Amino acid sequence: MRILITGAAGFLGSNLCDRFLREGHEVVGLDNFVTGHPDNIAHLMGNARFSFLRHNISEYTYVAGPLDGVLHFASPASPIDYLELPIQTLKVGSLGTHNSLGLAKAKGARFFLASTSEVYGDPMVHPQVESYWGNVNPIGPRGVYDEAKRFAEAITMAYHRTHGVDTRIVRIFNTYGPRMRPRDGRVVSNFIVQALNGEPITIYGDGSQTRSFCFVDDEVEGLYQLFMKGDANPCNIGNPVEYTVKQLAEIVVELTGSAAPIVYRPLPEDDPKVRQPDITRARAMLGWEPQVDVRTGVQRTIEYFRTLLGTPRMALHGR
Ligand code: UDP
């Protein structure tokens, strides 16, 4: 197959490029490097089955040649990024999804939308099943991401129903691992980088809020299986083992052996109190479930950041 991945230089996009190339497919990567970084795809540049377009998918997009799949992964995805880039976040979720769908339709390609557990907002149903419609504040600071992704799901279903495009929607839950940015702002990377630098570990709120953390290799395997074997209805892909943020901080302190103190900071507005995927659908439809427990995954991520922070040029690439 020949597939296009938007957001190819991002954390998930670049890992997804590797996964498709490993199966022998041809990959066209697209990214504008707003939150993605060239280092994430530098190792692919000599690969004859990989090509790259530096482009903003929110603008009209031309891609030469046939395509069998269009996977739309471009978007700021960390709360600090979409708070800093609210209009771009809304545009890439709306205009970027529209352009990606138009491309898929024109090429007769399968379309795959990277949606998010954020469509459930601060959930009133726990764990979250795909049939739950969510509890999102449209005008709050997170609304720019949540509503963009909710619109993206709506337009994906409209292209499916109206134009018969073969579509997939994945709702991605918190994912971590190598190629996260050191200053990405999300909890796993923050805690590990703080612990390794001996800086205070910043728990927002009292740390009783929960998240369920999926190691990137498990997540990417789920995405690949959903692309190949899934159907048009949304599917949760994440690790259902739930931790409080405080428990995560304790695991990071223990595994790094850090003497860094824990400090408490205000909880960001609309921060979801709980989050845990119900993956019954993914298990049944794809025969997929996560294999890597959080301690193993966090250990691998610590190794990644140890190497990265020990390399002066890399340690600097902030965003
Ligand atoms: N969080 C924290 N300290 C940090 C970064 C995040 O306590 O340095 C909390 C944040 O308030 C949230 C959880 O960790 O409750 C997960 O945050 P993240 O930004 O990773 O992603 P989210 O799940 O909120 O999109």
Side-chain angles (χ1 to χ4, degrees), residues 295-314:
R295 301 179 76 86
T296 308
V298 166
Q299 188 64 54
R300 287 189 204 161
T301 312
I302 291 169
E303 297 314 322
Y304 170 77
F305 279 119
R306 264 211 180 101
T307 308
L308 190 75
L309 297 174
T311 313
R313 187 178 72 86
M314 300 291 275

Side-chain angles (χ1 to χ4, degrees), residues 142 174 186-187 190-191 202 204 209 211 245 271 275:
R142 297 174 86 104
N174 295 64
R186 277 179 285 194
V187 68
N190 265 15
F191 286 180
T202 53
Y204 302 159
Q209 71 273 34
R211 294 294 186 272
V245 164
D271 198 283
R275 183 179 291 157

Side-chain angles (χ1 to χ4, degrees), residues 190-202 252-253 256-263 309:
N190 265 15
F191 286 180
I192 293 177
V193 170
Q194 288 162 346
L196 292 177
N197 287 338
E199 296 160 3
I201 293 175
T202 53
V252 169
V253 167
T256 53
S258 174
I262 288 178
V263 295
L309 297 174

Side-chain angles (χ1 to χ4, degrees), residues 139-182:
I139 58 165
R142 297 174 86 104
V144 297
Y145 185 66
D146 302 6
E147 296 296 3
K149 291 291 190 182
R150 289 168 67 95
F151 173 88
E153 290 198 7
I155 194 172
T156 299
M157 290 309 290
Y159 266 68
H160 175 66
R161 294 191 182 113
T162 309
H163 295 308
V165 177
D166 183 19
T167 56
R168 309 275 185 272
I169 296 172
V170 62
R171 293 185 180 150
I172 298 170
F173 284 66
N174 295 64
T175 303
Y176 69 97
R179 295 193 197 154
M180 287 188 102
R181 289 167 297 148

